[in-house]
């Protein structure tokens, strides 16, 4: 009779163990039962990137088995992008259900009244170098916000958690816009709460001398949809960083600053910028076949693509492509778009890459769309941070409420030196150069 369990035989001892299986996983702590002696601490699993290790239980984001695309609280991202807006989607991600009319209006008002930041925040931002990257400014300022809102430390208080969630979703666009204008030497533009969430963000970014900024409706809607596409992506690097830091019971501003720091890394939030560099290096649609040949020979790196072992394409790619085309109707066509389209065609038709199931991601087109709207590449990760705040705050609240989520402190496999005898400095030999140290020389 089949059982939901895993039987393990330790060939060192011949002992047999049975571990229960829940949600297609075993509890890692069960491995501690596997010992060779009474004083043995027990077996560990070794998973350097945690790619095959679940560190939490979550109700926020699942993945469509047909397309591999995210589903927020059970709703397909394709349907949300078509029919919803970012603030409504943020409500869904944070609270678990789509709002009715009254709840949405209250949610929108609660976010809107928190778009302003303390005047001293401007002085804090002025302390950054003139050429500081916007993501670094946002990251540093987020950490500083915890000193402006000491009540945020009350993480076990429901009303405090709700308040901090509204504050962060409301203030991130303001911080991002201030950081952008700081790097441009432009005066800060205060929020205009008569505009939509994305319309207000565009105003704070691009308003100049006009009395009232009117956002382009195509840009406004495109940004809204792009924020939906990026609102959450499960337990990725930045979300894991947030949960790990939050396990120490810090305030959410500090936890989100940690998530932003992780997102700033080129291996995580830098994919869109890397795509633009790659397309610029290719130069023209005619050069795409030669570039793909170099990729297959290991002489070039393909970004904006990844293995896609699903029967249907990721709908986010199609949505991002359509948004870019709509934006081009306002701005004129980017030459990078034709290179990206040709690259997608050549990669999909290449038998070697097809066998490896290499398919485009939305990063192939979202950076082109952002650039066409006037965003420099240095702002791409910042835009991701704004969109991802809803997901981060949902994960933060879920983590705080979960009794299993105590202080994160993973184990290690020590591979260093054994016991050594200390020698006085006068008789020590010259230190050897080691690969695992920064340097043994001064």
């Amino acid at each position: 009779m089949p059982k939901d369990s895993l039987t393990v035989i330790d060939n060192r001892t011949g002992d047999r163990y049975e571990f229960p299986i829940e949600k297609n996983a075993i509890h890692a702590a069960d491995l501690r039962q596997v010992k060779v002696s009474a004083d043995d601490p027990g077996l560990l699993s070794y998973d350097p990137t945690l790619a095959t290790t679940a560190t939490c239980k979550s109700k926020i984001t699942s993945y469509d088995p047909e397309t591999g695309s995210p589903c927020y609280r059970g709703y397909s991202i394709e349907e949300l992008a078509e029919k919803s807006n970012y603030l409504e989607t943020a409500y869904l991600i944070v609270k678990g259900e789509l709002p009715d009319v009254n709840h949405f209006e209250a949610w929108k008002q609660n976010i809107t009244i928190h778009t302003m930041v303390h005047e001293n925040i401007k002085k804090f931002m002025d302390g950054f170098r003139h050429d500081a990257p916007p993501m670094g400014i946002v990251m540093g300022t987020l950490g500083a916000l915890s000193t402006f809102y000491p009540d945020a430390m009350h993480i076990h208080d429901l009303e405090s958690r709700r308040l901090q969630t509204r504050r962060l979703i409301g203030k991130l666009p303001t911080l991002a816009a201030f950081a952008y204008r700081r790097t441009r030497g432009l005066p800060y533009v205060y929020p205009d709460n008569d505009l939509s969430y994305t319309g207000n963000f565009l105003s704070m970014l691009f308003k100049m001398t006009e009395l009232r900024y009117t956002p382009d409706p195509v840009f406004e809607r495109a940004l809204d949809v792009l924020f939906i596409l990026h609102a959450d992506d499960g337990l990725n690097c930045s979300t894991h960083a947030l949960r790990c830091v939050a396990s120490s019971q810090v305030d959410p501003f500090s936890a989100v600053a940690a998530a932003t720091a992780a997102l700033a890394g080129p291996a995580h939030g830098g994919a869109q910028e890397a795509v633009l560099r790659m397309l610029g290096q290719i130069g023209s649609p005619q050069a795409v076949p030669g570039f793909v040949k170099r990729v297959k020979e290991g002489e070039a790196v393909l970004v904006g693509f990844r293995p896609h072992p699903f029967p249907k394409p990721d709908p986010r790619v199609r949505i991002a492509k359509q948004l870019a085309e709509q934006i081009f109707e306002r701005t004129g066509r980017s030459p990078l778009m034709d290179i990206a389209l040709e690259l997608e065609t050549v990669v999909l038709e290449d038998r070697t890459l097809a066998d490896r199931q290499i398919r485009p991601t939305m990063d192939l087109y979202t950076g082109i769309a952002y650039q066409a709207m006037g965003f420099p590449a240095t702002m791409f990760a910042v835009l991701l941070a704004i969109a991802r705040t809803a997901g981060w705050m949902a994960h933060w609240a879920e983590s705080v409420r979960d009794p299993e989520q105590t202080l994160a402190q993973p184990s290690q496999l020590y591979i260093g030196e054994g016991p050594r005898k200390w020698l006085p400095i006068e008789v020590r030999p010259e230190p050897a150069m080691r690969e695992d140290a920064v340097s043994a020389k001064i």
Side-chain angles (χ1 to χ4, degrees):
M1 187 71 178
K3 295 173 64 177
D4 288 334
S5 65
L6 174 70
T7 299
V8 174
I9 298 175
D10 187 348
N11 292 323
R12 300 171 300 175
T13 63
D15 290 338
R16 180 186 180 98
Y17 304 86
E18 187 171 323
F19 305 138
I21 297 175
E22 179 186 1
K23 297 288 184 182
N24 204 36
I26 65 168
H27 204 293
D30 287 341
L31 294 174
R32 288 293 197 180
Q33 301 173 33
V34 182
K35 302 181 178 183
V36 296
S37 63
D39 58 353
D40 184 349
L43 199 65
L44 288 174
S45 61
Y46 178 59
D47 187 5
T49 63
L50 298 178
T52 57
T53 299
T55 61
C56 69
K57 297 175 182 176
S58 180
K59 296 180 179 179
I60 300 167
T61 297
S62 60
Y63 292 87
D64 188 321
E66 293 288 307
T67 66
S69 61
C71 298
Y72 301 151
R73 305 282 189 177
Y75 289 92
S76 85
I77 198 168
E78 187 173 15
E79 189 170 26
L80 290 169
E82 178 186 351
K83 301 175 181 178
S84 191
N85 58 54
Y86 176 71
L87 278 188
E88 187 178 61
T89 303
Y91 184 102
L92 167 69
I93 291 172
V94 169
K95 295 181 177 290
E97 299 289 346
L98 284 170
D100 60 15
V101 173
N102 292 334
H103 282 83
F104 179 67
E105 288 303 316
W107 168 255
K108 186 165 62 173
Q109 173 66 11
N110 285 335
I111 298 297
T112 300
I113 62 175
H114 289 294
T115 55
M116 289 286 186
V117 295
H118 196 285
E119 282 292 290
N120 284 352
I121 288 292
K122 294 194 305 181
K123 298 176 183 177
F124 182 85
M125 285 186 160
D126 286 341
F128 288 95
R129 279 176 55 103
H130 70 280
D131 56 352
M135 191 62 161
I137 297 175
V138 170
M139 179 175 58
T141 309
L142 271 171
L145 278 181
S146 64
T147 65
F148 286 82
Y149 303 107
D151 60 310
M153 283 300 298
H154 304 310
I155 64 172
H156 297 296
D157 179 78
L158 174 61
E159 287 306 316
S160 177
R161 291 201 301 269
R162 287 174 173 169
L163 176 58
Q164 313 319 323
T165 298
R166 297 165 188 157
R167 280 173 171 165
L168 274 158
I169 295 176
K171 294 182 191 308
L172 246 294
T174 308
L175 297 182
F178 282 14
Y180 168 79
R181 294 182 74 94
R182 173 78 180 87
T183 62
R184 291 291 188 273
L186 297 170
Y188 302 133
V189 174
Y190 287 106
D192 183 343
N193 289 342
D194 291 332
L195 298 175
S196 71
Y197 186 80
T198 51
N200 171 54
F201 180 48
L202 291 168
S203 171
M204 291 189 292
L205 286 165
F206 301 129
K207 184 175 185 292
M208 298 304 284
T209 60
E210 62 267 44
L211 293 177
R212 186 74 184 275
Y213 180 87
T214 303
D216 186 304
V218 172
F219 290 6
E220 190 175 13
R221 176 57 184 166
L223 198 57
D224 212 50
V225 174
L226 288 165
F227 281 1
I228 291 173
L229 297 183
H230 289 120
D232 192 56
D233 195 13
L235 200 62
N236 54 30
C237 177
S238 56
T239 304
H240 172 66
L242 173 130
R243 278 183 172 265
C244 188
V245 171
S247 73
S248 71
Q249 301 189 358
V250 297
D251 64 274
F253 296 99
S254 298
V256 171
T260 306
L263 190 65
H268 187 18
Q272 298 170 107
E273 186 175 354
V275 165
L276 293 190
R277 287 198 302 269
M278 176 191 69
L279 296 176
Q281 290 167 1
I282 294 173
S284 70
Q286 294 74 26
V288 166
F291 172 77
V292 172
K293 182 175 182 293
R294 294 196 302 276
V295 168
K296 290 161 54 178
E297 293 171 348
E299 299 175 357
V301 178
L302 182 67
V303 290
F305 292 78
R306 68 180 175 187
H308 185 79
F310 301 95
K312 296 180 181 179
D314 187 337
R316 293 175 294 176
V317 179
R318 173 185 56 78
I319 295 169
K321 195 185 306 184
Q322 290 174 345
L323 289 173
E325 294 288 5
Q326 293 167 10
I327 292 166
F328 295 151
E329 293 178 5
R330 289 286 199 273
T331 64
R333 191 174 187 81
S334 168
L336 297 182
M337 186 66 174
D338 294 323
I339 302 173
L341 291 169
E342 181 65 15
L343 183 60
E344 179 181 358
T345 299
V346 172
V347 168
L348 292 178
E349 291 177 350
D350 186 277
R351 181 169 298 179
T352 301
L353 297 177
D355 289 344
R356 292 165 50 192
Q357 298 179 307
I358 302 299
R359 299 289 184 273
T361 70
M362 62 176 171
D363 294 328
L364 185 61
Y365 297 104
T366 51
I368 298 174
Y370 283 137
Q371 186 183 62
M373 285 191 285
F375 293 103
T378 53
M379 281 292 291
F380 291 173
V382 178
L383 297 172
L384 281 174
I386 296 172
R388 193 59 55 82
T389 302
W392 285 338
M393 294 308 292
H395 280 274
W396 171 73
E398 192 175 65
S399 175
V400 168
R401 297 194 309 269
D402 187 346
E404 291 186 315
Q405 295 296 314
T406 55
L407 181 64
Q409 41 191 358
S411 300
Q412 65 172 11
L413 300 181
Y414 178 70
I415 59 172
E417 301 288 347
R420 294 197 279 183
K421 185 178 179 180
W422 187 90
L423 294 174
I425 192 169
E426 296 82 5
V427 298
R428 289 175 199 160
E430 181 180 354
M433 294 295 290
R434 300 174 57 115
E435 293 182 357
D436 60 345
V438 176
S439 177
K441 300 283 187 181
I442 300 299

